[in-house]
């Protein structure tokens, strides 16, 4: 992530009365950009326009002690194929840039879009602002279409999510996931302690038919599990307890990457530094302490995963676990 670490802003969904403050943030943010010809649509917004967006889109506002500092709009289109959410007016006050506020606004929007069943998040950007386009590309978005001389369509596939009711189901998910995998694949699994990363790795090991057992490597950070029948080996890395990306470099994973499936358990963050092609898996608990269900999100990053049908993959489960 390119942004500096700063105290997290408070994010909230905008209400009817938030039009004037959103207009102020948007106008201030877009006025601070280089002048464009034709000017950015945002600079033509009136209060009536903003109130119109608020009536059929979701507004998100970021604030800190100093007041409101950023906002965006999110429009959901469930009829599109695939269902798509459109971002617009992504605005951060000029004095508050470089603090990761836009990142947090966009992550919140992505989470809401995903909960609403959207599979894709997109926006229109101006070609004349390469630094803005680079910002989106560094956040996992890609240019997917040239709309006209000035505008490009930028999009990201939202991670596919599946509810996994038990540890056995988590192993089944891992085992079936191996059908999508090939040598050279890197999987980064994140999620808090005990969320089920190692349990998922056990399923991968079963699917690849590697020698086990796959356990939490407390003292060993990386373990190679050769395949029993000449198949692909599994390299299981527990990077959760590593202090830095430099320590990860010391494990010299590159040496085995090409002919293995490499599964790295990781705390959230830092993973972007590892490789441009990777399958990111994030595991969350359901929120109810009496419920063992985990919510697993799978997102493919980079050309290797561009055409992968991860949504199709998770749909096969849809409450139909073998156990
Ligand atoms: N739905 C579920 N999915 C995965 N594990 C579950 C589930 N329900 C219960 N469990 C239990 O939760 C625990 C998950 O532990 P696991 O070692 O897989 O987590 P982890 O994310 O690897 O933890 P760590 O961060 O310590 O490495 C296991 O004891 C598993 O049996
Ligand atoms: Mg583990």
């Amino acid at each position: 992530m390119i942004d500096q670490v700063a105290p997290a802003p408070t994010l909230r969904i905008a209400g009817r009365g938030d039009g004037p403050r959103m207009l102020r943030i948007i106008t201030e943010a877009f006025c601070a950009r280089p002048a464009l010809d034709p000017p950015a649509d945002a600079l033509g917004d009136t209060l009536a326009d903003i109130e119109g967006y608020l009536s059929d889109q979701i507004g998100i506002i970021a604030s800190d002690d100093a007041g409101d500092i950023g906002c965006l709009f999110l429009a959901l289109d469930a009829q599109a194929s695939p269902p798509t959410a459109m971002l617009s007016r992504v605005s951060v006050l000029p004095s508050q840039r470089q603090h990761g506020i836009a990142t947090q606004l966009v992550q919140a929007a992505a989470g809401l879009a995903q909960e609403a069943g959207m599979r894709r998040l997109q926006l229109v950007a101006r070609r004349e602002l390469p630094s803005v386009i680079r910002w989106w590309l560094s956040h996992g978005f890609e240019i997917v279409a040239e709309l006209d001389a000035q505008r490009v369509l930028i999009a990201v596939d939202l991670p596919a999510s599946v509810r996994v009711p038990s540890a056995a189901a988590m192993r089944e998910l891992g085992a079936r996931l191996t059908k999508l995998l090939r040598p050279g694949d890197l999987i980064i699994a994140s999620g808090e302690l005990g969320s089920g990363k190692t349990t998922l790795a056990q399923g991968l090991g079963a699917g690849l038919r590697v020698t086990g057992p796959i356990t939490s490597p407390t003292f060993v950070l990386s373990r190679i599990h050769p395949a029993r029948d000449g198949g692909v080996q599994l390299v299981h890395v527990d990077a959760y307890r590593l202090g830095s990306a430099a320590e990860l470099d010391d494990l010299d994973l590159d040496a085995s990457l090409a002919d293995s499936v490499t599964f790295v358990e990781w705390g959230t963050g830092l993973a972007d530094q590892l490789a441009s092609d990777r399958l990111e898996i994030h595991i969350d608990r359901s929120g109810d302490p009496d419920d063992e269900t985990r919510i697993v999100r799978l997102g493919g990053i980079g050309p290797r995963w561009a055409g992968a049908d991860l949504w199709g993959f998770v749909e096969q489960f849809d409450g139909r676990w073998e156990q």
Side-chain angles (χ1 to χ4, degrees), residues 241-254:
R241 293 160 189 88
L242 283 184
S244 68
E247 286 181 60
L248 190 64
D249 279 350
D250 291 345
L251 293 179
D252 203 16
L253 292 177
D254 293 351

Side-chain angles (χ1 to χ4, degrees), residues 15 38 41 49 75 115 127 148 155 184 194-195 213 233 242 278 283 311:
D41 293 343
D49 292 327
E115 277 167 32
R127 214 191 285 275
D148 56 32
S195 55
Q233 65 181 11
L242 283 184
R278 59 191 186 269
I283 309 178
W311 285 91

Side-chain angles (χ1 to χ4, degrees), residues 294-314:
R294 306 291 200 262
I295 295 112
V296 179
R297 293 192 173 82
L298 301 109
I301 313 277
R304 153 68 179 98
W305 292 98
D309 184 12
L310 295 173
W311 285 91
F313 171 71
V314 298

Side-chain angles (χ1 to χ4, degrees), residues 233-275:
Q233 65 181 11
L234 178 67
V235 177
H236 178 209
V237 183
D238 196 341
Y240 199 96
R241 293 160 189 88
L242 283 184
S244 68
E247 286 181 60
L248 190 64
D249 279 350
D250 291 345
L251 293 179
D252 203 16
L253 292 177
D254 293 351
S256 59
L257 206 58
D259 48 4
S260 317
V261 164
T262 303
F263 182 91
V264 181
E265 295 191 29
W266 195 255
T268 344
L270 287 179
D272 352 11
Q273 301 172 16
L274 280 177

Side-chain angles (χ1 to χ4, degrees), residues 189-201 240 263 265-266 283:
S190 61
E192 62 186 41
L193 291 172
S195 55
K197 303 179 291 292
T198 300
T199 307
L200 179 66
Y240 199 96
F263 182 91
E265 295 191 29
W266 195 255
I283 309 178

Side-chain angles (χ1 to χ4, degrees), residues 59-113:
I60 305 179
I61 301 179
S63 334
D64 68 5
D65 299 344
D68 300 319
I69 52 180
C71 67
L72 55 73
F73 280 107
L74 178 70
L76 307 178
D77 185 354
Q79 308 308 319
S81 174
T84 297
M86 175 73 97
L87 286 169
S88 64
R89 309 297 189 258
V90 180
S91 307
V92 174
L93 291 183
S95 59
Q96 303 292 330
R97 291 215 177 120
Q98 307 299 320
H99 293 171
I101 294 157
T103 302
Q104 294 184 46
L105 279 165
V106 171
Q107 279 170 353
L112 286 176

